Amino acid sequence: MTRVRDALAGRRFFITGATGFLGTALVERILRSVPDSQVVLLIRPGRRATPLQRATKEIIKNDCFDRLRQELGDRFDSEMAARVEAVAGDVATDGLGLDDDGRQRLSECDIVIHSAAAVSFDSPLDSAVEVNLLGPSRVAAEVESARRLAAEQGRTGPVHLVPVSTAYVAGTHQGEAKEELLDGNRFTVSVDWRDEVDAARRQRSDLDADSRRPERLTGFTKQARSELGGAGLHLLAERAERIREDWVKKQMVVVGQARAQSLGWPDAYPYTKALGERALVAQYADTVPMTIVRPSIIESALAEPRPGWIRGFRMAEPIIISYARGLLREFPGVPEGVTDVIPVDLVVAAIIVVSGEALLTPPQEYQGPSVYHVASGVRNPFRYGRLVELVTAWFTEHPLYDADGQPIVVPEWSFPGRGRVQRQLSRASKAMDLAEKVVGSLPIRGKQAAWMAALEEQHLLADRALGYVELYGAYTETEALYRVDRLLALWDRMDDDDRRTFCLDPAAVDWDTYVREIHLPSIIEHARVKTSAGKSTKPNRADRARKNILSPDRHLAAFDLENTLIASNVVDSYAWLASRHLPPAERAAFVADLMREAPSLLLLDRRDRGDFLRSFYRRYEGAPVDRLRDDGWELFYDLLLAKSFPAGIARVREHRALGHRTILITGALDLVVEPLRPLFDDIVCARLGEQDGMFTGRLDVLPPIGEARALVLEEYAEAEGLDLGESMAYADSASDLPMLEAVGFPVAVNPEAKLAAIARRRGWHVEHWHKAEGGSSPLLPLGPFDRRGSLGRGRTSAAALAGAARRSAGEGAR
């Protein structure tokens, strides 16, 4: 055994942030490289998972452990069970949320490594303050308590705290930053960290209060309605509240960036990490031995546990993939500037070696908190211009391919200024926002509505690119150099065996080889992008979704009717029935009157589907019941069958053949859907009241609308012993969102623009079903009203129905 491994062998490590990128690599390396070591992990419990269950699923089962799993073979599970423990806690909570058992476990550890952080550069200020600023001090407070507890029990307790910070606490301005505490740092302004905590919390409270002002709430509700249409009051309220919360969060992001930049940091991440260091040292420098490790930008592994290992995308990956897909044509940066990145395994090695050094240092020789940078900019600089050259050459040789199997030609970057790129992307985003509003107001559906979804995706990509520029532009333009003198001195003190086991020297990285042969192949592997020419022969996403939907394991299939199974609506049916027996002249006048009502009817339907149905069905008042029920069968054969979607009818039959229950939920009248009963196990529809052989125009049974459809499904599933999580719902409109959200397998059929966009965002399966070609095209209903519920209440009454029926009866008598 070597010096560092000897010092650490058999020791217990208490680690925060173990479910993150760095934390996972750290846990694996300790278990694999430090003999007989044990780890105690602080993990926030999940909604349905204990800390240990989360540790098993999110850490031990990660591919990071494949090497260790192979080395241990059959002993892997037993080794992990014996060497890995998890305690419930949260660094954003005072006392870390530890119970007595957790505090006892902490007191039994030798080294505490604090790697938990809100690493996003656009975290809301208050969240970053709670985790990055106050988190290290909370950990130190518990370490201090654990040391006292251990002393009371006759033990040593935690010997050393290793907080992981970031090199960027020193700022990104031109000049060299030394491995020293932040007091007197000439790049940033010194402020009282307590005042910053109070201000952040107060800002959150102020913004939350602002978000609840009546005019704000009205705006949030209006936005929710524009997104969801007539989806129901409950769903609209939920969406409006989510919009309100998101608004507060976004404002806190803006506040954080502004405050950070005003003090000399590029964003809230290094700002809160810097103040976290100051708070930690100010409070615990004399009572908790500590060594701060400051890595630069951490990227995929150079060698450990395997070359290219990465968990999630870091800073550079989204930019590189966007460039390779032709979506990001320019990005700011200084070609002569240093891109200070460091492979994750070098950072892990540094943390472990620093821990070993701490154990080897006698307590009387400890001289107070110290700092180590783990960065490449001084020892092994990697120029931004060279990175761009390598990425361009690699994707020219290994291009990504578009959906048609054609290679994507990557553009040449011109290294423009950040302001210019921001202005270009901002203009593009505003233009797409306007286009979305225009397209979203059009009565389009199906593949035409897919334009809306595609436009929304392009808008999202433009906003994402703008976000990359705003967040990361400062890091590509930085000219700061982070010295590593103390790190290299540590490297010099290591013997050869330790160096082979724990390489931490940035000079070990050959950047050309790392980018071309390790990093880029790794991120392409994880990015789910098309890397070969031609159409894929593998089942695509739609085929896989369809296979899941048509599994015998499913329970229930619920269908909407209008524009889901037939290209018709309640107005089409009324128009056909009302004009069925009219003379040609009256028929033309009737259609003209109905068409004139279209705008007001459309407005009513969009405002409230339930009100629309109630008011529209009053037109049936005084219509003869028997005549309309007979005509309902003629309507089916003459109009609805011609407008049906054969693929949709076939899908209903497929579900029945698989043993799935089928239910039709529609706003159509029972007399209209009666011919469809053989297709379904149950039908839920509207039914008009009757009196003296005439329809009253009032609904005896109001069909479920919006969220009421979800309730119907829940009650039906419970009564039949069915699981909605194993069920499907087919619908075409955003007003059906509650029903779609109630099941495990939602299907958007010929979706309108709003639903098409929602389905795309949520990854829902989409079907485009069409009428059979060659069928007859009945004269009525006329016009562009091929949209469910696009007509409604108006002055065209049921007199046409009753009069036509009387006229027909008279002709029959003659």
Side-chain angles (χ1 to χ4, degrees):
M1 289 189 187
T2 61
R3 186 167 173 262
V4 170
R5 295 178 73 199
D6 274 337
L8 295 174
R11 300 286 190 162
R12 286 170 62 86
F13 294 78
F14 188 93
I15 302 173
T16 71
T19 58
F21 172 45
L22 175 62
T24 298
L26 178 62
V27 171
E28 189 275 342
R29 191 75 168 277
I30 289 173
L31 294 173
R32 179 165 52 84
S33 301
V34 179
D36 303 320
S37 59
Q38 294 178 306
V39 295
V40 179
L41 312 178
L42 181 78
I43 297 179
R44 185 172 59 249
R47 290 183 179 178
R48 300 180 180 177
T50 66
L52 185 58
Q53 287 172 333
R54 282 195 64 196
T56 301
K57 180 179 179 180
E58 300 177 35
I59 303 173
I60 296 174
K61 289 187 177 180
N62 186 275
D63 61 350
C64 179
F65 280 71
D66 287 352
R67 176 173 172 179
L68 182 57
R69 187 176 290 107
Q70 184 176 8
E71 289 178 3
L72 294 177
D74 295 339
R75 295 186 294 113
F76 178 80
D77 290 339
S78 59
E79 282 272 331
M80 295 303 99
R83 299 174 65 189
V84 178
E85 300 176 34
V87 297
D90 185 352
V91 297
T93 303
D94 288 340
L96 301 183
L98 289 172
D99 58 17
D100 290 342
D101 180 64
R103 293 188 181 91
Q104 179 65 36
R105 303 255 193 116
L106 172 58
S107 74
E108 295 168 355
C109 291
D110 303 288
I111 294 290
V112 177
I113 300 173
H114 173 51
S115 67
V119 297
S120 174
F121 293 166
D122 60 347
S123 292
L125 177 59
D126 57 326
S127 299
V129 162
E130 294 298 332
V131 176
N132 297 339
L133 198 163
L134 295 175
S137 295
R138 290 186 178 118
V139 173
E142 293 307 307
V143 170
E144 187 180 59
S145 297
R147 287 163 65 88
R148 287 197 299 268
L149 177 61
E152 292 170 1
Q153 297 173 352
R155 296 179 290 101
T156 303
V159 175
H160 209 81
L161 170 63
V162 183
V164 180
S165 184
T166 173
Y168 291 95
V169 296
T172 58
H173 301 285
Q174 188 176 32
E176 291 187 345
K178 297 180 180 179
E179 295 163 290
E180 59 187 16
L181 299 179
L182 289 176
D183 291 342
N185 174 28
R186 62 190 176 91
F187 296 125
T188 55
V189 178
S190 180
V191 292
D192 190 311
W193 63 269
R194 295 177 182 84
D195 292 341
E196 298 301 299
V197 172
D198 292 341
R201 289 171 172 171
R202 189 167 57 249
Q203 189 74 55
R204 159 67 76 164
S205 178
D206 291 345
L207 283 169
D208 188 77
D210 186 27
S211 74
R212 297 172 190 271
R213 289 191 294 120
E215 56 269 32
R216 292 271 188 216
L217 296 174
T218 299
F220 299 147
T221 301
K222 183 178 180 181
Q223 182 180 341
R225 189 174 294 278
S226 72
E227 293 178 10
L228 304 182
L233 292 177
H234 180 70
L235 200 62
L236 287 172
E238 283 188 341
R239 180 57 187 150
E241 177 61 12
R242 180 65 62 82
I243 292 170
R244 186 193 70 81
E245 292 171 350
D246 287 346
W247 181 85
V248 174
K249 181 179 178 180
K250 289 176 182 177
Q251 294 304 308
M252 288 302 297
V253 171
V254 172
V255 168
Q257 290 175 337
R259 182 56 176 160
Q261 291 168 8
S262 74
L263 296 174
W265 288 282
D267 52 68
Y269 175 62
Y271 155 63
T272 52
K273 293 292 277 187
L275 294 187
E277 281 192 28
R278 289 177 179 171
L280 173 66
V281 172
Q283 296 176 96
Y284 298 102
D286 296 331
T287 57
V288 178
M290 65 182 75
T291 303
I292 299 170
V293 175
R294 294 180 189 155
S296 56
I297 299 169
I298 306 176
E299 289 293 350
S300 64
L302 176 67
E304 304 274 355
R306 61 175 172 79
W309 178 81
I310 193 169
R311 178 170 189 172
F313 275 2
R314 318 317 304 163
M315 187 189 97
E317 287 72 42
I319 299 172
I320 291 173
I321 293 299
S322 295
Y323 168 73
R325 294 175 65 188
L327 303 174
L328 192 60
R329 307 194 68 82
E330 288 186 313
F331 199 83
V334 178
E336 300 84 7
V338 172
T339 301
D340 204 319
V341 297
I342 195 78
V344 65
D345 44 339
L346 271 66
V347 181
V348 166
I351 293 171
I352 294 174
V353 173
V354 164
S355 300
E357 279 276 306
L359 291 175
L360 290 167
T361 303
Q364 63 273 17
E365 294 182 16
Y366 173 71
Q367 298 179 354
S370 59
V371 175
Y372 286 96
H373 285 161
V374 189
S376 60
V378 172
R379 173 73 164 168
N380 186 14
F382 185 26
R383 304 292 174 185
Y384 180 60
R386 182 55 182 161
L387 170 62
V388 172
E389 290 173 0
L390 291 170
V391 171
T392 301
W394 198 88
F395 283 109
T396 299
E397 184 178 352
H398 310 91
L400 301 186
Y401 292 81
D402 61 22
D404 296 322
Q406 298 301 309
I408 299 172
V409 179
V410 292
E412 290 189 13
W413 276 0
S414 57
F415 304 103
R418 197 175 358 151
R420 183 181 120 189
V421 178
Q422 284 178 310
R423 288 190 295 272
Q424 289 175 345
L425 291 172
S426 181
R427 285 195 297 267
S429 179
K430 290 178 181 178
M432 290 181 188
D433 185 53
L434 177 61
E436 273 187 49
K437 292 179 180 177
V438 172
V439 174
S441 66
L442 299 176
I444 58 175
R445 64 172 59 252
K447 289 190 175 179
Q448 289 179 321
W451 300 341
M452 175 69 174
L455 183 62
E456 185 184 65
E457 183 177 19
Q458 291 300 314
H459 190 183
L460 179 64
L461 291 171
D463 285 346
R464 191 177 296 163
L466 179 60
Y468 294 156
V469 172
E470 292 173 342
L471 287 176
Y472 305 141
Y475 293 89
T476 59
E477 293 177 338
T478 183
E479 296 181 77
L481 297 173
Y482 305 105
R483 298 200 61 84
V484 289
D485 303 282
R486 298 192 74 248
L487 182 76
L488 295 180
L490 180 64
W491 176 251
D492 289 340
R493 292 196 296 273
M494 295 168 60
D495 62 25
D496 290 342
D497 286 341
D498 273 345
R499 288 186 178 188
R500 281 191 291 271
T501 306
F502 302 111
C503 175
L504 52 79
D505 184 3
V509 185
D510 179 300
W511 291 116
D512 285 16
T513 301
Y514 174 77
V515 171
R516 286 194 303 241
E517 300 179 16
I518 297 174
H519 189 63
L520 290 179
S522 176
I523 66 172
I524 290 302
E525 178 186 348
H526 289 83
R528 294 183 181 179
V529 290
K530 188 172 174 56
T531 57
S532 58
K535 301 266 184 174
S536 176
T537 58
K538 297 180 180 178
N540 59 30
R541 183 176 181 177
D543 292 335
R544 292 194 300 271
R546 201 171 287 117
K547 182 178 179 180
N548 280 332
I549 288 166
L550 294 175
S551 165
D553 297 332
R554 305 295 166 249
H555 292 187
L556 170 67
F559 288 84
D560 178 36
L561 177 64
E562 298 155 352
N563 290 308
T564 300
L565 294 176
I566 59 172
S568 184
N569 53 56
V570 298
V571 179
D572 286 352
S573 301
Y574 169 75
W576 193 94
L577 291 168
S579 63
R580 164 83 165 142
H581 304 288
L582 291 178
E586 292 182 37
R587 181 184 178 93
F590 170 84
V591 172
D593 286 344
L594 205 53
M595 292 182 67
R596 278 193 293 270
E597 294 181 75
S600 61
L601 299 173
L602 176 59
L603 182 63
L604 177 61
D605 178 47
R606 286 185 169 181
R607 189 162 52 236
D608 192 299
R609 176 70 173 170
D611 284 348
F612 163 74
L613 290 177
R614 280 189 293 270
S615 64
F616 191 81
Y617 283 148
R618 292 192 190 110
R619 298 165 185 257
Y620 285 86
E621 182 181 358
V625 173
D626 292 341
R627 167 61 68 184
L628 258 65
R629 292 202 180 279
D630 288 342
D631 285 348
W633 285 91
E634 294 295 326
L635 167 70
F636 176 73
Y637 289 111
D638 189 49
L639 177 69
L640 301 186
L641 207 55
K643 288 198 166 191
S644 68
F645 303 136
I649 303 301
R651 179 61 57 83
V652 180
R653 288 175 172 156
E654 283 183 277
H655 282 299
R656 297 204 74 178
L658 289 166
H660 305 158
R661 296 280 294 188
T662 57
I663 182 173
L664 176 67
I665 304 177
T666 176
L669 291 170
D670 58 341
L671 63 93
V672 173
V673 300
E674 186 62 30
L676 294 170
R677 284 199 180 274
L679 275 176
F680 297 93
D681 292 298
D682 290 284
I683 293 180
V684 179
C685 61
R687 188 170 70 244
L688 286 169
E690 303 174 15
Q691 185 175 351
D692 299 329
M694 301 293 179
F695 285 118
T696 64
R698 295 185 297 274
L699 286 167
D700 274 1
V701 177
L702 180 67
I705 305 299
E707 55 233 18
R709 292 194 170 192
L711 293 175
V712 166
L713 271 186
E714 290 171 7
E715 292 172 359
Y716 185 84
E718 183 177 358
E720 299 293 333
L722 306 173
D723 181 2
L724 287 183
E726 293 292 338
S727 300
M728 293 68 58
Y730 294 78
D732 69 292
S733 169
S735 65
D736 294 314
L737 267 180
M739 182 173 78
L740 293 167
E741 291 179 334
V743 299
F745 299 88
V747 182
V749 179
N750 302 334
E752 63 175 9
K754 286 185 176 66
L755 183 59
I758 292 169
R760 190 176 190 118
R761 281 198 302 270
R762 301 188 184 183
W764 288 354
H765 182 55
V766 176
E767 293 281 8
H768 296 291
W769 293 338
H770 307 281
K771 295 183 293 184
E773 295 182 2
S776 61
S777 300
L779 181 61
L780 283 174
L782 296 175
F785 309 124
D786 191 17
R787 175 183 174 86
R788 188 183 71 170
S790 59
L791 301 179
R793 185 176 182 180
R795 298 186 59 84
T796 305
S797 73
L801 288 165
R806 288 192 296 272
R807 186 179 300 107
S808 177
E811 290 171 354
R814 287 195 296 272

